[in-house]
Amino acid sequence: MKSKWIPGFLVKRCPKSGRIVKFRFDNIYARLAFPVVGILAIIWFLFRVLPKPSRAAYPCQQVAAGIGGSFLVYLVSIVASLTLYQKIRKINKSAALVLIAGAALLISFTWGIASSVNDEIKPVLTPPDGVNNPMGEAKGIFPGRVSWTQDFNATSWDEVNGNWWDDNNTNQKEANAMLSVTLRKLSGANTDKEAWQKLFEFNNKQNGQANKGYTKGEKIIIKVNMNALRNSNDEWKNQGYPSPQMVYGLIAQLIYQAGVAGEDIMITDPSRFIGDQIINRIRKNPSQDFQHIMFEECEARNRPYCQAAVPDTSALVWFNMPDGSKYRMCFPKSYSEATYIINYSLVRPHRVFGITSAAKNHFGSVWGFEFNKFHPATLHKFALWDYPNPNKLNDPHSAPVLLGHKLLNSKTFLYLADGLYTAVNQTGPVKRMSAFKNDWFSSLLMSQDPVALESVVYDFISSEPNLYNGNPSFNGNQDNQFQECALAGNPPSGTKYDPENDGSGLQSLGVHEHWNNATERKYSGNMGNKKGIELISSKL
């Protein structure tokens, strides 16, 4: 719990994270307030948790349970004191026993719920569509290909010294090598330069411009996921962010290998702030190309290389809401002005959406007219849990609209998922992977097929207990997103997805399937079926 409104004289906080760790008793004000705060904590905990026990896993409820439980222990100690006990006993012998027993019962109840809640969240990981059952139309130079590179030398953080993104803990040279190998394996090229040329040409061919690569003056935006960074002055914690080394390596690839001018590159997250760890690393390079790169954020900062995202009210996007209505939002002007888009997502679970990947990345790209800012709050109606009508199989979903809108679909020529360090959810800490001898995931995934990439990201996450345990969104309904996207022209929900509201409708956005098992990790494309996903792996 990190509620800033709770005054410092009442609680002690972790100096690094700022989270409340315990109630203070070292001053008169805290001691006087303790009974009131304790009673309020108990009332709040019971009010929130009794209707839905899984809420006890929330950080705020865990803190409330701790403060309330401490107060009950404090109360019992007073009641149990000899003098008070004798006074109560003189009035009514049974009252003392009832009071003590009641307090003990409340303590047991409060802590019992808090300690057992994780056992109540039983993940449903059996794919509803089975394994190796591809659906949809594979996309890319090699249709359905997902290129995966893993390099344990890139990640060496011991969880004690420094932070995972420090140069001592994440190796820039290895990140560069991972990008190079992953790009060449994805495109079938022999060199990095050739790989970029192939990617640009393929995208332009899909848009009716055969044999055309990047031309100076054509803008490229890189949509990163900075969801964990809500304010400009927030300090980075050991959570899930884009790796500064991997972002820098991607920029270096675009400039040195693809020949893209720095003035044509923009890194953006319209609803969040770009972390200084990323900005400073890029601007540390004195080359004019690196100095000319722009960073787009939710608010303007007094920096010549940063700008605030501005909505393009002519770039409307229409969502098919769960109640059957249509909901209107819009994209930034930078997206409209760009020629190319790179979707830079993360390998990371999400507390209410299951995973954070290519589609969810664009929750940060939409302008909410009623909020007058880039804000995806209304899209949380598609959440998998903790909302009045959680999304389930055969329901409409927001993902086909975000991946299929012409503005994004026609311009996105590369989908990337950064998995050097995988966080447990959008605000939680990074976690090691038991599937890889308790090392970090140390991985990078790329594809030209967003549905294939998301399917692979999900398979990795759903095979790792360190990531899915205790996450209530792993409830068997995650596949709805993949199925609706893969079969967008005729989805299981029966929805007519028309993101531009022009009557055109969508067709398949890619191929979806699950691998055969978490040991062999084989998809249909790895077994001779060219209609499915093909996972190409490289170990460095």
Side-chain angles (χ1 to χ4, degrees):
M1 187 178 184
K2 192 182 173 183
S3 301
K4 295 181 179 179
W5 59 268
I6 300 178
F9 64 81
L10 292 180
V11 295
K12 287 188 176 181
R13 299 178 183 272
C14 172
K16 290 186 177 181
S17 67
R19 294 186 180 276
I20 296 172
V21 293
K22 66 178 181 179
F23 199 88
R24 297 182 62 170
F25 295 97
D26 56 355
N27 63 76
I28 185 62
Y29 304 106
R31 288 194 290 271
L32 290 174
F34 180 56
V36 176
V37 175
I39 292 171
L40 291 176
I42 293 171
I43 294 173
W44 174 247
F45 182 88
L46 296 177
F47 176 76
R48 292 287 291 162
V49 172
L50 280 178
K52 192 167 188 177
S54 62
R55 288 177 177 152
Y58 291 3
C60 57
Q61 297 306 321
Q62 291 173 351
V63 172
I67 294 175
S70 297
F71 171 69
L72 289 174
V73 172
Y74 167 76
L75 182 63
V76 169
S77 68
I78 293 177
V79 173
S81 65
L82 182 59
T83 302
L84 182 60
Y85 179 77
Q86 290 296 338
K87 288 182 180 180
I88 296 175
R89 189 168 177 237
K90 288 179 181 179
I91 300 172
N92 189 331
K93 183 181 295 186
S94 62
L97 297 175
V98 170
L99 185 58
I100 294 173
L105 181 62
L106 281 173
I107 294 172
S108 175
F109 177 78
T110 301
W111 287 103
I113 291 178
S115 62
S116 65
V117 65
N118 284 338
D119 294 332
E120 295 178 8
I121 302 175
K122 301 295 183 183
V124 179
L125 303 173
T126 303
D129 49 304
V131 301
N132 297 133
N133 180 28
M135 60 183 70
E137 181 182 342
K139 309 294 182 182
I141 298 171
F142 298 94
R145 175 172 290 188
V146 177
S147 179
W148 167 41
T149 302
Q150 190 172 50
D151 182 3
F152 296 114
N153 293 322
T155 53
S156 58
W157 187 44
D158 60 5
E159 301 181 79
V160 176
N161 295 296
N163 304 290
W164 67 256
W165 58 83
D166 294 339
D167 281 329
N168 290 336
N169 299 322
T170 302
N171 190 298
Q172 182 68 65
K173 182 179 179 181
E174 299 298 333
N176 294 344
M178 292 174 72
L179 280 156
S180 175
V181 170
T182 312
L183 281 163
R184 285 186 275 119
K185 292 289 186 179
L186 175 64
S187 62
N190 294 318
T191 66
D192 295 353
K193 182 178 181 179
E194 181 188 356
W196 285 109
Q197 186 67 19
K198 282 178 172 285
L199 293 175
F200 281 119
E201 287 184 352
F202 181 84
N203 181 257
N204 286 321
K205 184 178 180 180
Q206 298 300 107
N207 293 319
Q209 303 179 68
N211 301 319
K212 179 188 178 302
Y214 157 81
T215 302
K216 187 175 181 179
E218 295 178 331
K219 304 297 184 182
I220 300 175
I221 64 171
I222 302 170
K223 170 59 178 74
V224 294
N225 188 328
M226 300 301 306
N227 191 26
L229 197 65
R230 306 300 176 93
N231 299 292
S232 61
N233 59 350
D234 278 355
E235 294 184 7
W236 274 37
K237 306 175 186 66
N238 287 311
Q239 298 170 298
Y241 302 100
S243 163
Q245 290 82 359
M246 197 64 76
V247 175
Y248 177 87
L250 178 62
I251 296 298
Q253 278 279 342
L254 287 170
I255 292 173
Y256 295 135
Q257 301 299 328
V260 178
E263 61 191 25
D264 288 339
I265 300 173
M266 175 184 288
I267 298 175
T268 180
D269 191 339
S271 69
R272 295 289 185 264
F273 289 92
I274 309 299
D276 285 343
Q277 288 77 358
I278 293 173
I279 294 175
N280 294 341
R281 177 169 292 272
I282 291 172
R283 291 191 56 78
K284 188 176 180 180
N285 189 318
S287 164
Q288 286 302 299
D289 279 314
F290 283 82
Q291 295 300 305
H292 287 157
I293 291 171
M294 289 297 296
F295 301 89
E296 184 178 69
E297 306 173 301
C298 60
E299 296 177 13
R301 288 196 270 182
N302 189 25
R303 300 173 175 182
Y305 46 85
C306 291
Q307 69 179 45
V310 177
D312 182 352
T313 56
S314 66
L316 296 177
V317 52
W318 295 83
F319 292 89
N320 302 80
M321 301 306 291
D323 63 1
S325 65
K326 295 278 282 187
Y327 180 71
R328 182 189 66 153
M329 304 184 85
C330 74
F331 293 118
K333 284 187 177 180
S334 58
Y335 288 36
S336 302
E337 296 168 353
T339 306
Y340 304 102
I341 297 174
I342 294 177
N343 187 323
Y344 189 120
S345 64
L346 302 172
V347 179
R348 188 178 70 192
H350 193 280
R351 186 71 179 168
V352 294
F353 281 92
I355 66 170
T356 293
S357 191
K360 181 67 172 59
N361 191 20
H362 280 306
F363 267 41
S365 301
V366 288
W367 173 271
F369 287 96
E370 71 271 47
F371 303 108
N372 199 35
K373 62 180 179 179
F374 288 96
H375 199 308
T378 303
L379 299 186
H380 283 76
K381 292 182 180 180
F382 296 98
L384 294 172
W385 84 291
D386 201 35
Y387 282 79
N389 297 292
N391 194 260
K392 58 185 183 301
L393 293 173
N394 303 331
D395 281 349
H397 204 283
S398 58
V401 174
L402 290 170
L403 292 180
H405 192 284
K406 291 176 183 177
L407 185 65
L408 302 186
N409 186 265
S410 64
K411 297 181 179 184
T412 306
F413 71 109
L414 179 63
Y415 298 88
L416 179 155
D418 184 342
L420 286 185
Y421 292 88
T422 51
V424 68
N425 56 46
Q426 69 273 26
T427 58
V430 294
K431 290 284 187 178
R432 294 178 180 270
M433 301 280 274
S434 61
F436 299 102
K437 299 180 180 179
N438 204 39
D439 208 330
W440 304 107
F441 190 34
S442 310
S443 295
L444 175 66
L445 296 105
M446 288 184 187
S447 186
Q448 293 173 286
D449 185 321
V451 185
L453 180 68
E454 293 206 319
S455 299
V456 173
V457 167
Y458 173 80
D459 280 349
F460 274 114
I461 292 175
S462 65
S463 67
E464 178 49 59
N466 288 348
L467 297 181
Y468 67 68
N469 269 343
N471 189 326
S473 289
F474 284 81
N475 52 26
N477 290 312
Q478 178 73 68
D479 273 45
N480 186 56
Q481 171 182 334
F482 309 141
Q483 293 180 9
E484 292 290 296
C485 288
L487 305 173
N490 185 25
S493 68
T495 304
K496 182 180 179 180
Y497 292 107
D498 183 7
E500 303 83 21
N501 202 33
D502 60 4
S504 59
L506 293 179
Q507 297 302 314
S508 173
L509 298 171
V511 64
H512 161 63
E513 68 169 307
H514 293 286
W515 61 29
N516 61 338
N517 58 64
T519 302
E520 295 180 306
R521 306 185 185 96
K522 287 186 178 181
Y523 291 91
S524 296
N526 301 111
M527 298 184 284
N529 184 351
K530 295 183 179 180
K531 294 184 178 181
I533 294 174
E534 178 191 29
L535 181 62
I536 302 295
S537 61
S538 304
K539 304 290 184 180
L540 298 183

